[in-house]
Amino acid sequence: MKLAYWMYAGPAHIGTLRIASSFKNVHAIMHAPLGDDYFNVMRSMLERERDFTPVTTSVVDRHVLARGSQEKVVDNITRKDAEEHPDLIVLTPTCTSSILQEDLHNFVQRAQIESQGDVLLADVNHYRYNELQAADRTLHQIVQFYLEKARKKGQLPEGKTEKPSVNIIGLSTLGFHNNHDRTELKRLMNDLGIEVNEIIPDGASVHNLKNLPRAWFNLVPYRELGMATAQYLEQEFGMPYIDITPMGVVETARCIRKIQQVINAQGANVDYNVDYEEFINEQTLHVSQAAWFSRSIDCQNLTGKKAVVFGDNTHAAAITKILAREMGIHVVWAGTYCKYDADWFRDQVSEYCDEVIITEDHGAIGDAIARVEPSAIFGTQMERHVGKRLNIPCGVIAAPIHIQNFPIGYKPFVGYEGTNQIVDLIYNSFTLGMEDHLLEIFGGHDTKEVITKGISADSEMNWSKDGLAELNKIPGFVRGKVKRNTEKFARDRNISEITAEVLYAAKEAVGA
Amino acid sequence: MTSTDTTPQSLQFECDTGNYHTFCPISCVAWLYQKIEDSFFLVIGTKTCGYFLQNAMGVMIFAEPRYAMAELEEGDISAQLNDYEELKRLCTQIKRDRNPSVIVWIGTCTTEIIKMDLEGLAPKLESEIGIPIVVARANGLDYAFTQGEDTVLAAMAARCPDKAPVAEAEKEERNAISKLLNFGRKKEEVAIEESEYVNHPPLVLFGSLPDPVVTQLTLELKKQGIKVSGWLPAKRYTELPVLEEGYYVAGVNPFLSRTATTLMRRRKCKLIGAPFPIGPDGTRAWIEKICSVFGIEPKGLDEREAQIWENLEDYVKLIRGKSVYFMGDNLLEISIARFLIRCGMTVPEIGIPYMDKRYQAAELALLEKTCHEMNVPLPKIIEKPDNYNQLQRIKAHQPDLVITGMAHANPLEARGINTKWSVEFTFAQIHGFTNARDILELVTRPLRRNNNLKDLGWDKLVRDEAKV
């Protein structure tokens, strides 16, 4: 047992549901007790989704405990198949089904007989994998299933596309700024003259998965999601993949150069040769503002300032490199909660920070922040709250995230526009800290309060102790209004002492 | 109560598949740890439970909450680790860091399935570490959302002292409410105050409400000369009310049937079965019922209720004649539907997770009576609803308002159907005369929003081919 208040990565089934709900016309059925379907709430709230989240539950209740699910799971699958005709139904195990050890595989096979669509059992064990690992596995599983199916039916398309093309692998629902990254990556590929063959899983149809091998190469923008699929496609179809996240000016250039290399290696046969150097140069010097920002006086003032970074592998590594390499900021420590992939992280960032921290314990991270007192934090929502407590500004760079991290405006993190967004995020975090600091030194410039008297300040009204006690229970931001309205109410009725009863009478009368 | 009724119609009850969205009952820790100030809630479950609390309870998690997960690992499931030793290690740590007056263990689906004997372990550990340990099995296998509070309060009921302390002064010390009301007054004044009450057997109310609402309802009964001897739960665990055999108890919320049963069977209390004090009509009926049990003639309730309705008129105007559909997830549905029918709305259907017809008998009777008096058809009550079927019916009926969970709210709005998030009714102050306006504030919000946006012509925001 572990005493835990907060976790960075969710349980395995969340990963599976993120993949299933990313595809078009795929439905997930959870084998879970009542109340475990809050994934739908998260999806509907955070992403402000207009459509019903295609996730339902085959409810595990007392009867299931006593007699097993029996026909229930099969019925729920075939019912959903008839109601909504999904292409694929993914039966999703949870922590509960992990312990019940029911033969879900058998249910899937039986349901498949009666279903028009395909039925799969997500191969994820709650106690072995977290959300991110499960998502990676489920995507791989679905891709493999459809490619093998196509191969068996002889429907695998032959050969490559005429022009160089790419599959972008790993964009999903509830991913950090994934929807904006999607647009930016498409734009980047378009600028490079590369066709986008398929983007998976976000918005993809399972029918199109058989076309994946037609692309010249695969791009995996995020370390956490898509690697298993890319490796599988490399093994089975000899497709090269690029796992350099195009985040920050230097890494974007590195990613593009790698693309150039991969294309030219295959282009030899078809006389295809690309040279992206000029594009990189033009974008870096004149389109992205990040290179110019590094040179500007603003950024000079940040030189040597202390920062700490914490998040998932992709974002924490990329931001650490940007801070240290592109802005001259002193990254005291960089950390990740992707413990299962810690070596990769260490390898990526060790030369850009003093210390590497690998942990899933938010308490340890809070302590580490307090210990080094950085000028700014780049982390998850949890680190933002630590920052609030310690009065240190924080830029949010990775999940777990709240609704404000699903902005409507265009805010990619990848590509050249991404570099601009990241500059704003970093610069704004530091200047806010600076302003705060100056205000403290000069004792604040907001002196209005002492000069003019507040409306309620000179009230003559007499508050009884219980009245005052009730008033103090009212949240601070409306208390002044309630106090004024109550006093007005009392004055109008010639009530000399305001008790709790008067306070509530006033509320009833005027909605104070 | 409906004997005067000439139409043969009566409430219809149905039971569907139970495929519906609701919160897991462990969510009750979020409001109970705030209510019971010296408690610590330990949820013994998995990452799934933890992730739910972290996400569903939003920012509350960051205020150094007095709750935590005892996250079960593979070793716990396969019994390689010893439950007792593990819980002892965690609870000792909690005692050291927070020193609570009580630790509440919340049993979950996992502890049920692996049959962890929490009730057996608790007394042993309690005597070893010297802190009371209360066990509540608030799991998704058996319960929905607010029923979590019911399981906790039923467990707490067993911990209430069974003898009033002898010294009068000490009793006042124990009782938060009387302390508040007598604050700073001399003994003689208190004695005069005591005489304001009618002589009646002790009354204890049950149900967790925010402190301002506790004060309001207590004052409301005081106006009738009824003294509230205690409240389950109190502000602090150490202030749990005395429950002697023969005490009267009354519930303030519709989802407290286990607590009511425990109070009657185990503590030999007498339950006053009344409608719940939600809406001015409900509050009045609640007070009247308590008065009638004590043989008191209620004073001034007519005027009081009329006054409240008068103040609500601007909001009632907005919803009169409109229809409202309850998908059902928190068991407040019957009471809120009854109030909204009194406001002039029609209700085709009330979904509800679980319907205790005995505990809610008076509320159901008032619902029926209200429908007859307002001359509207009786709603169909659907226990364990099926959300998919409900969405088909919503599509057919096109109600003016759907009260539903967050999973369906945005998709329905995108289809031009007004929604109100049902969970807000659980957290808002909705009890008593004073807060009737707050209920309507919630109910009318989407309609007021529509008034602001009505000329823009963008009601339906999904493409035609979208499903459902």
Side-chain angles (χ1 to χ4, degrees):
Chain A
M1 269 180 221
K2 202 165 78 179
L3 195 63
Y5 297 87
W6 214 77
M7 63 187 74
Y8 285 104
H13 69 268
I14 297 288
T16 296
L17 298 181
R18 278 177 56 186
I19 297 301
S21 63
S22 296
F23 279 106
K24 257 193 306 209
N25 212 24
V26 169
H27 197 101
I29 295 184
M30 298 168 66
H31 185 243
L34 200 65
D36 274 359
D37 62 348
Y38 58 88
F39 175 80
N40 299 29
V41 177
M42 289 172 57
R43 172 105 198 282
S44 183
M45 280 192 75
L46 297 178
E47 299 210 314
R48 277 179 219 90
E49 181 53 54
R50 299 180 202 210
D51 282 318
F52 294 99
T53 305
V55 174
T56 44
T57 310
S58 176
V59 178
V60 175
D61 56 15
R62 278 285 154 195
H63 299 292
V64 171
L65 280 200
R67 301 172 304 151
S69 289
Q70 298 188 343
E71 300 304 315
K72 199 169 183 181
V73 176
V74 178
D75 287 348
N76 279 317
I77 295 174
T78 49
R79 177 185 161 187
K80 193 46 71 183
D81 183 68
E83 279 167 359
E84 295 191 12
H85 315 292
D87 297 325
L88 168 68
I89 290 177
V90 180
L91 181 60
T92 309
T94 58
C95 57
T96 308
S97 44
S98 282
I99 339 171
L100 285 178
Q101 298 190 328
E102 285 196 87
D103 190 358
L104 296 180
H105 221 280
N106 174 260
F107 295 155
V108 163
Q109 282 171 339
R110 279 165 51 203
Q112 182 65 81
I113 297 168
E114 286 177 55
S115 299
Q116 299 288 310
D118 297 309
V119 189
L120 272 183
L121 171 65
D123 178 22
V124 288
N125 180 325
H126 174 91
Y127 293 95
R128 304 271 162 87
Y129 306 113
N130 70 15
E131 168 189 354
L132 303 169
Q133 294 163 290
D136 197 36
R137 287 177 69 89
T138 304
L139 181 60
H140 171 210
Q141 195 187 352
I142 294 175
V143 167
Q144 185 173 12
F145 176 81
Y146 279 99
L147 284 173
E148 278 172 10
K149 189 178 168 187
R151 180 179 275 159
K152 244 180 248 161
K153 289 188 170 178
Q155 289 173 341
L156 271 187
E158 290 287 320
K160 298 286 172 190
T161 56
E162 197 179 321
K163 288 213 277 179
S165 62
V166 61
N167 297 318
I168 301 174
I169 302 178
L171 299 171
S172 83
T173 53
L174 292 172
F176 181 70
H177 290 239
N178 276 20
N179 49 345
H180 306 303
D181 285 355
R182 178 197 175 98
T183 309
E184 187 63 19
L185 286 172
K186 273 168 76 178
R187 179 181 295 172
L188 181 63
M189 293 306 132
N190 188 47
D191 289 349
L192 296 173
I194 298 169
E195 280 174 5
V196 175
N197 186 51
E198 295 290 339
I199 295 179
I200 58 167
D202 188 36
S205 157
V206 291
H207 298 307
N208 292 352
L209 291 175
K210 62 174 184 292
N211 297 329
L212 284 172
R214 283 178 54 79
W216 288 31
F217 69 100
N218 293 315
L219 176 63
V220 185
Y222 310 118
R223 173 74 191 171
E224 293 76 18
L225 177 51
M227 285 302 288
T229 308
Q231 281 159 359
Y232 161 77
L233 291 170
E234 187 184 41
Q235 271 165 27
E236 284 297 307
F237 301 94
M239 298 178 74
Y241 68 85
I242 294 168
D243 59 351
I244 301 166
T245 304
M247 202 177 289
V249 179
V250 178
E251 291 297 294
T252 303
R254 205 158 76 85
C255 179
I256 295 173
R257 289 194 181 105
K258 181 80 185 170
I259 293 175
Q260 174 176 320
Q261 191 192 330
V262 166
I263 291 178
N264 289 343
Q266 294 176 66
N269 312 328
V270 284
D271 275 343
Y272 218 100
N273 197 37
V274 291
D275 182 6
Y276 291 139
E277 282 309 321
E278 200 182 320
F279 173 79
I280 295 172
N281 198 44
E282 171 69 12
Q283 292 286 322
T284 305
L285 297 185
H286 302 295
V287 176
S288 164
Q289 299 293 322
W292 158 235
F293 175 78
S294 318
R295 188 73 212 188
S296 71
I297 297 300
D298 295 335
C299 191
Q300 204 183 90
N301 286 336
L302 299 182
T303 305
K305 285 217 171 298
K306 285 197 289 186
V308 296
V309 183
F310 191 75
D312 59 8
N313 269 355
T314 305
H315 293 88
I319 297 292
T320 302
K321 290 183 207 170
I322 292 169
L323 290 169
R325 193 164 55 184
E326 298 179 18
M327 296 185 177
I329 289 161
H330 177 192
V331 181
V332 186
W333 55 258
T336 179
Y337 54 81
C338 297
K339 259 171 116 167
Y340 63 95
D341 198 16
D343 293 341
W344 181 87
F345 186 76
R346 248 189 227 104
D347 185 50
Q348 293 287 308
V349 302
S350 15
E351 59 175 305
Y352 301 108
C353 59
D354 303 349
E355 188 190 347
V356 177
I357 298 183
I358 313 286
T359 183
E360 290 174 327
D361 176 2
H362 79 272
I365 289 300
D367 292 344
I369 293 172
R371 169 163 57 84
V372 303
E373 291 187 44
S375 310
I377 306 165
F378 298 93
T380 70
Q381 277 292 338
M382 191 67 210
E383 283 67 52
R384 192 174 73 84
H385 283 270
V386 173
K388 259 197 205 152
R389 252 204 316 260
L390 300 174
N391 267 322
I392 302 170
C394 176
V396 174
I397 55 143
I401 37 186
H402 285 334
I403 193 151
Q404 68 263 41
N405 303 113
F406 288 86
I408 292 170
Y410 187 52
K411 290 198 162 55
F413 267 62
V414 299
Y416 286 108
E417 178 54 28
T419 64
N420 293 338
Q421 297 294 334
I422 294 172
V423 164
D424 281 344
L425 178 79
I426 293 174
Y427 185 63
N428 290 343
S429 303
F430 278 106
T431 36
L432 288 177
M434 185 72 90
E435 257 170 52
D436 230 37
H437 192 56
L438 287 174
L439 282 176
E440 202 165 287
I441 291 174
F442 296 110
H445 48 60
D446 188 10
T447 46
K448 261 194 306 212
E449 232 174 324
V450 263
I451 299 167
T452 54
K453 260 183 191 165
I455 299 163
S456 62
D458 57 347
S459 103
E460 300 287 318
M461 294 305 292
N462 182 15
W463 284 74
S464 76
K465 273 191 179 159
D466 66 325
L468 218 48
E470 286 304 298
L471 181 68
N472 284 331
K473 285 182 201 160
I474 290 158
F477 61 97
V478 287
R479 198 181 298 145
K481 181 183 151 213
V482 173
K483 184 163 185 259
R484 277 195 300 281
N485 286 346
T486 309
E487 287 176 352
K488 182 167 178 299
F489 173 87
R491 228 176 272 128
D492 291 349
R493 285 160 185 76
N494 286 324
I495 297 170
S496 59
E497 191 188 46
I498 302 179
T499 60
E501 279 167 290
V502 176
L503 177 78
Y504 290 123
K507 187 184 176 208
E508 285 161 23
V510 291
Chain B
M1 256 182 238
T2 54
S3 53
T4 54
D5 172 23
T6 48
T7 57
Q9 216 186 4
S10 62
L11 286 168
Q12 274 183 56
F13 296 89
E14 275 180 29
C15 191
D16 210 337
T17 63
N19 268 314
Y20 64 102
H21 165 75
T22 182
F23 274 178
C24 174
I26 60 172
S27 51
C28 67
V29 305
W31 65 87
L32 287 176
Y33 91 77
Q34 299 193 39
K35 172 72 193 180
I36 309 170
E37 289 171 1
D38 54 353
S39 62
F40 190 99
F41 285 78
L42 184 67
V43 181
I44 305 163
T46 62
K47 245 181 178 341
T48 307
C49 314
Y51 204 60
F52 164 69
L53 284 175
Q54 168 176 327
N55 284 292
M57 298 310 133
V59 292
M60 272 194 266
I61 194 93
F62 300 109
E64 302 237 338
R66 290 185 318 280
Y67 74 76
M69 291 295 307
E71 195 184 316
L72 301 169
E73 294 167 296
E74 206 159 10
D76 298 303
I77 304 300
S78 52
Q80 285 161 3
L81 299 168
N82 181 300
D83 298 340
Y84 183 78
E85 290 305 321
E86 291 295 300
L87 283 167
K88 184 177 153 192
R89 184 169 57 79
L90 264 43
C91 289
T92 312
Q93 190 184 336
I94 291 165
K95 184 185 177 184
R96 193 186 57 222
D97 297 346
R98 306 292 182 98
N99 195 30
S101 309
V102 61
I103 297 177
V104 182
W105 286 352
I106 303 288
T108 62
C109 304
T110 311
T111 57
E112 287 297 310
I113 297 168
I114 64 175
K115 300 194 171 22
M116 195 183 278
D117 180 21
L118 297 178
E119 276 96 345
L121 298 174
K124 212 172 135 199
L125 189 56
E126 178 170 319
S127 63
E128 198 171 335
I129 66 169
I131 293 181
I133 295 174
V134 171
V135 181
R137 301 188 192 184
N139 62 70
L141 295 168
D142 300 307
Y143 305 109
F145 195 13
T146 49
Q147 287 181 291
E149 175 181 320
D150 194 22
T151 63
V152 174
L153 295 189
M156 289 263 176
R159 302 300 184 114
C160 293
D162 54 8
K163 271 273 172 348
V166 195
E168 189 65 21
E170 198 186 331
K171 186 175 173 185
E172 277 154 25
E173 276 307 304
R174 288 192 66 85
N175 193 319
I177 298 151
S178 67
K179 202 161 83 180
L180 174 71
L181 296 173
N182 298 337
F183 202 80
R185 288 175 211 182
K186 292 198 196 84
K187 224 178 183 150
E188 307 83 78
E189 290 176 52
V190 173
I192 295 165
E193 192 133 289
E194 287 292 318
S195 70
E196 290 173 20
Y197 293 112
V198 177
N199 193 16
H200 64 82
L203 170 69
V204 171
L205 302 178
F206 58 95
S208 167
L209 293 177
D211 293 335
V213 184
V214 167
T215 314
Q216 288 159 12
L217 288 179
T218 308
L219 289 172
E220 215 62 72
L221 289 174
K222 185 182 160 203
K223 283 183 188 149
Q224 306 299 337
I226 295 168
K227 185 176 176 181
V228 178
S229 306
W231 203 296
L232 174 71
K235 255 169 98 70
R236 301 176 66 81
Y237 177 78
T238 49
E239 290 162 359
L240 279 178
V242 173
L243 287 174
E244 285 184 50
E245 188 171 338
Y247 274 26
Y248 280 83
V249 291
V252 297
N253 264 325
F255 44 76
L256 298 172
S257 41
R258 280 175 68 91
T259 310
T261 311
T262 308
L263 290 171
M264 285 190 294
R265 298 206 182 136
R266 295 282 177 82
R267 307 303 307 249
K268 311 281 182 238
C269 295
K270 292 175 185 156
L271 178 70
I272 303 175
F276 302 99
I278 292 170
D281 51 338
T283 308
R284 179 198 174 142
W286 184 71
I287 296 171
E288 278 178 344
K289 183 65 192 283
I290 295 173
C291 285
S292 81
V293 168
F294 293 143
I296 297 168
E297 185 67 39
K299 307 181 287 269
L301 279 180
D302 273 339
E303 302 78 28
R304 184 115 171 83
E305 195 194 344
Q307 181 65 45
I308 297 291
W309 281 114
E310 199 177 300
N311 289 338
L312 297 179
E313 180 53 28
D314 55 337
Y315 276 171
V316 172
K317 213 164 53 194
L318 291 171
I319 53 175
R320 197 171 279 139
K322 296 213 156 68
S323 62
V324 53
Y325 186 105
F326 289 81
M327 286 188 78
D329 74 346
N330 60 13
L331 284 92
L332 295 171
E333 291 87 1
I334 302 288
S335 308
I336 295 174
R338 177 260 303 149
F339 167 52
L340 293 181
I341 291 170
R342 179 61 71 184
C343 290
M345 296 189 89
T346 56
V347 181
E349 206 175 289
I350 306 175
I352 186 168
Y354 169 72
M355 181 76 244
D356 185 334
K357 288 188 200 160
R358 280 209 298 180
Y359 177 63
Q360 292 221 46
E363 183 63 89
L364 287 168
L366 183 59
L367 170 68
E368 214 169 316
K369 180 167 165 249
T370 304
C371 288
H372 293 316
E373 286 176 6
M374 299 303 291
N375 201 19
V376 295
L378 287 162
K380 197 182 266 182
I381 295 172
I382 301 205
E383 208 181 344
K384 290 175 176 290
D386 182 295
N387 281 166
Y388 182 84
N389 295 341
Q390 287 183 314
L391 289 173
Q392 310 307 314
R393 292 197 291 269
I394 287 170
K395 201 179 167 193
H397 289 167
Q398 295 285 315
D400 296 303
L401 180 69
V402 175
I403 295 181
T404 180
M406 200 45 118
H408 297 110
N410 269 339
L412 284 171
E413 290 283 352
R415 283 154 184 76
I417 290 177
N418 299 311
T419 61
K420 185 74 225 139
W421 187 27
S422 53
V423 173
E424 286 187 60
F425 293 100
T426 324
F427 294 125
Q429 303 189 354
I430 61 169
H431 292 76
F433 286 123
T434 316
N435 297 309
R437 199 173 171 81
D438 295 48
I439 307 177
L440 291 186
E441 171 83 27
L442 290 175
V443 170
T444 58
R445 197 174 295 155
L447 304 164
R448 286 180 282 132
R449 183 262 332 258
N450 288 357
N451 287 342
N452 295 335
L453 307 183
K454 65 174 182 266
D455 298 326
L456 297 173
W458 52 48
D459 289 344
K460 288 216 168 91
L461 293 154
V462 283
R463 296 183 208 285
D464 287 339
E465 65 265 28
K467 280 186 182 156
V468 189

